[in-house]
Amino acid sequence: MTGLDQRSYFFDEGIRFKCRRCGDCCTGDPGIVRVNESEIADIAEYLNMPVSAVVETFLYSWGNGHSIKEAGDGRCLFFEDGCRIYPVRPNQCRTFPFWFANLRSEARWIKICSQCPGIGTGHLFTKADILNVLKKNM
Ligand code: SF4
C-alpha cells in the first residue's frame, strides 16, 4: 500500500457511475481532450480514414501531442447525435469523471455531479479502483 491508498478521501466508500451517453460532457464549454498516437491510429482504423486525414480534420497540435477540435457551438467534433468514436474514444474520455481535476476536492466533485447524470448510478467503483485510474493518469 502506498501513502495515497492510506489517506482518507470523500470517496472512501466508492462512487457509482455508468455513462448514460447523454453527451453533456462532450458539448458546451470547450476543453482540452488529449489524444495520443496510438489512440489516433485506433480512431483512424475505426473511421476507415487515413491517420493524416483524421489529424487534419479532427485534431490540432497541443503540447507534445494533439487535442480534439470543437465545432462552433463548443461540442467535440466527434460528437454528432452521440459519440462517433465511442468504442475507441481516448483514455481521457474513457476515464471521465475520475479525473484528478474533478476529485481534488469534494466541492469540485459536487459540481461535476450536478453536470453528469451518470454519477451515482451503475457500477460501484471502489476507492482502490478510483485511485488506480488517478495513478495511471498522473
Ligand atoms: S455527462 Fe456523464 S452520463 Fe453524460 S455522456 Fe458525459 S459521462 Fe456520460
Side-chain angles (χ1 to χ4, degrees), residues 4 6 10 26 29 35 46 55 57 87 89 91 93 96 98 101 107 112 125 131:
L4 266 187
Q6 286 162 339
F10 67 87
C26 325
D29 291 342
V35 193
Y46 184 74
V55 171
T57 309
R89 65 200 185 285
N91 180 65
C93 306
F96 183 86
F98 301 120
I112 292 299
F125 289 81
L131 289 176

Side-chain angles (χ1 to χ4, degrees), residues 36-67:
N36 67 30
E37 295 302 313
S38 149
E39 291 168 336
I40 295 171
D42 289 344
I43 292 167
E45 186 178 351
Y46 184 74
L47 294 177
N48 199 20
M49 289 173 73
V51 166
S52 58
V54 168
V55 171
E56 190 177 325
T57 309
F58 294 104
L59 308 177
Y60 63 92
S61 294
W62 187 82
N64 293 328
H66 292 88
S67 179

Side-chain angles (χ1 to χ4, degrees), residues 7-8 26 29 47 72 80 88 91 126:
R7 282 187 52 189
S8 182
C26 325
D29 291 342
L47 294 177
E80 275 175 25
V88 292
N91 180 65
T126 65

Side-chain angles (χ1 to χ4, degrees), residues 2-138:
T2 67
L4 266 187
D5 301 293
Q6 286 162 339
R7 282 187 52 189
S8 182
Y9 302 93
F10 67 87
F11 53 85
D12 278 355
E13 302 306 314
I15 293 173
R16 287 195 182 278
F17 173 67
K18 177 171 175 41
C19 177
R20 307 275 187 94
R21 299 183 67 173
C22 66
D24 285 3
C25 62
C26 325
T27 57
D29 291 342
I32 304 294
V33 181
R34 292 184 303 268
V35 193
N36 67 30
E37 295 302 313
S38 149
E39 291 168 336
I40 295 171
D42 289 344
I43 292 167
E45 186 178 351
Y46 184 74
L47 294 177
N48 199 20
M49 289 173 73
V51 166
S52 58
V54 168
V55 171
E56 190 177 325
T57 309
F58 294 104
L59 308 177
Y60 63 92
S61 294
W62 187 82
N64 293 328
H66 292 88
S67 179
I68 301 175
K69 290 179 184 170
E70 285 121 5
D73 58 5
R75 77 183 150 79
C76 170
L77 209 51
F78 287 117
F79 190 86
E80 275 175 25
D81 258 349
C83 177
R84 287 181 57 196
I85 57 165
Y86 194 79
V88 292
R89 65 200 185 285
N91 180 65
Q92 187 174 325
C93 306
R94 207 173 280 279
T95 55
F96 183 86
F98 301 120
W99 297 348
F100 177 76
N102 294 340
L103 290 161
R104 68 190 155 88
S105 75
E106 191 166 7
R108 174 69 188 162
W109 182 252
I110 288 167
K111 186 165 180 227
I112 292 299
C113 290
S114 72
Q115 297 167 351
C116 171
I119 297 173
T121 72
H123 178 78
L124 178 66
F125 289 81
T126 65
K127 173 185 179 181
D129 294 334
I130 295 165
L131 289 176
N132 277 339
V133 173
L134 289 173
K135 281 184 231 167
K136 275 187 200 155
N137 290 298
M138 274 177 163

